[in-house]
Amino acid sequence: MGRGFDVDQIEPPEDYPTVLMFATGSGISPIRSLIESGFDASKRSDVRLYYGAMNLHRMAYQDRFKYWESSGIEVIPVLSEPNHSWMGETGNIQAAFSKARKIWRPLSTGAVICGHRQMREEVTSILVKDGVLRERILTNS
């Protein structure tokens, strides 16, 4: 579902070396398609995926994380209802991203967002406040 992502808006990699990806729930599927169908993260210096789910049992494609990381993507899983042994990020991905907040060159940054409306709106607001151009924020809605 959705229109897909107009990745030409964040090309070429030399001009947009930072790409931030955000996905919640089933929103990871279009992101996976992007990652595995020719998006060349290795040509960029900073590609991060913030992926939120309720718990590890609901986090799809965990078996792909190592592959994605080997292709140049830093995967940051965020659980809203983790079990007691979880040592990673907790809460929502907006909060996890706000805490990290590493955008060195906002005019050379692109973003890809897929997930529920509140997350899309809040992440977009954070990115725009940090100087990322709205036309470089791609959504699948």
Side-chain angles (χ1 to χ4, degrees):
M1 302 293 275
R3 296 174 291 146
F5 303 107
D6 184 8
V7 293
D8 289 343
Q9 296 297 316
I10 55 174
E11 293 289 345
E14 310 79 59
D15 293 346
Y16 300 97
T18 299
V19 175
L20 306 170
M21 300 181 190
F22 302 88
T24 54
S26 61
I28 192 63
S29 292
I31 299 284
R32 177 192 180 187
S33 294
L34 174 68
I35 292 169
E36 295 185 4
S37 67
F39 176 80
D40 196 351
S42 66
K43 292 184 178 178
R44 300 175 194 266
S45 59
D46 180 16
V47 180
R48 286 175 266 155
L49 168 60
Y50 290 85
Y51 175 24
M54 187 178 300
N55 54 51
L56 284 174
H57 298 293
R58 294 189 171 216
M59 185 164 272
Y61 308 125
Q62 293 176 58
D63 61 325
R64 306 300 294 159
F65 290 2
K66 285 190 192 300
Y67 171 72
W68 295 347
E69 288 175 341
S70 73
S71 73
I73 298 168
E74 179 185 0
V75 178
I76 301 128
V78 182
L79 301 182
S80 60
E81 296 180 16
N83 67 24
H84 65 280
S85 64
W86 177 250
M87 302 299 287
E89 294 290 338
T90 60
N92 62 44
I93 60 176
Q94 304 90 296
F97 175 66
S98 288
K99 187 169 73 172
R101 207 74 164 260
K102 294 181 268 181
I103 298 179
W104 310 120
R105 296 173 46 212
L107 296 179
S108 299
T109 297
V112 180
I113 307 173
C114 194
H116 64 80
R117 173 178 281 172
Q118 180 180 353
M119 180 276 291
R120 289 192 323 260
E121 291 173 354
E122 290 179 15
V123 167
T124 297
S125 177
I126 293 165
L127 292 168
V128 169
K129 283 180 186 172
D130 284 351
V132 177
L133 298 175
R134 192 171 292 275
E135 58 267 22
R136 305 292 180 238
I137 302 171
L138 314 179
T139 62
N140 187 30
S141 57

